[in-house]
Amino acid sequence: MGVDPGKTTGWATGLFHRAAIFENERADDLIPGGIVELKMGQVAGNENGQVDKLIEKVNEFEPDVLVIEDFELRKLLKSRDLLSPVRVGHKLDYAIYNRNRRQYPAVHSEIKIEWQMPALAMTTATDDRLKLWGLYNPGKEHARDGSRHVVTFARRMKVDASLRAKFL
């Protein structure tokens, strides 16, 4: 599951054929055909409410890995909204920590967290590539960004055996 946190937070969850990840190490062989299902959406509102809604999605989809977009300040701006991605991302990280450790240890499997830089997702899963792969959602920009993180992480796992070993 990929999350693009912010004032409006995009999420996406992808289900992949096992062979798409484990057979040969060419990232281009992952898509098309490797994704069984991709669902995406976005949540808005106050940050705590967003995290509550995201945890509902986590509980619904039971991802093995939650990929959260990391944050890198590139502009010197003054705005409370500027740091919303940081706050939402880390609140979600903490909620997953609680879920893993205290709330559901006997019921659910542990979800692993991976932080991923936005530039990596934007260059790996460009709009043109998402369109080519049939994964482009024209109406929901933030949901589309969540899907970028899902696809980018899957491609990274395909070419990096140590990353696969860490998360699968």
Side-chain angles (χ1 to χ4, degrees), residues 1-2 11-18 20 30-40 60-62 133-135 147 150-151 154:
M1 183 172 184
W11 63 268
T13 183
L15 180 61
F16 295 85
H17 287 290
R18 187 167 181 78
L30 175 65
I31 301 166
I35 296 181
V36 175
E37 183 175 52
L38 182 70
K39 293 184 179 180
M40 63 184 89
E60 178 182 346
F61 294 113
E62 293 284 329
W133 299 329
L135 304 175
S147 70
V150 168
V151 170

Side-chain angles (χ1 to χ4, degrees), residues 22-79:
F22 287 98
E23 289 182 7
N24 79 50
E25 292 188 348
R26 283 179 22 99
D28 291 338
D29 290 341
L30 175 65
I31 301 166
I35 296 181
V36 175
E37 183 175 52
L38 182 70
K39 293 184 179 180
M40 63 184 89
Q42 50 193 45
V43 297
N46 76 59
E47 294 164 359
N48 292 334
Q50 285 189 41
V51 172
D52 285 344
K53 291 174 188 173
L54 292 168
I55 290 297
E56 288 175 11
K57 291 298 177 188
V58 165
N59 289 335
E60 178 182 346
F61 294 113
E62 293 284 329
D64 294 318
V65 180
L66 181 64
V67 181
I68 304 173
E69 181 178 277
D70 210 343
F71 182 80
E72 187 176 83
L73 185 60
R74 290 187 260 163
K75 298 179 182 178
L76 292 176
L77 302 174
K78 290 184 178 182
S79 167

Side-chain angles (χ1 to χ4, degrees), residues 94-150:
Y94 184 67
I96 295 297
Y97 168 82
N98 279 332
R99 182 185 186 279
N100 285 343
R101 304 287 177 163
R102 298 184 201 143
Q103 296 174 349
Y104 304 104
V107 180
H108 301 285
S109 60
E110 181 176 332
I111 295 172
K112 296 175 180 137
I113 301 284
E114 171 76 354
W115 291 87
Q116 185 167 262
M117 294 307 294
L120 181 59
M122 292 297 286
T123 57
T124 300
T126 63
D127 284 349
D128 288 340
R129 285 182 176 159
L130 291 175
K131 289 173 185 174
L132 178 69
W133 299 329
L135 304 175
Y136 184 83
N137 184 327
K140 296 187 176 185
E141 174 186 348
H142 300 286
R144 188 168 58 244
D145 289 342
S147 70
R148 290 181 207 283
H149 284 289
V150 168

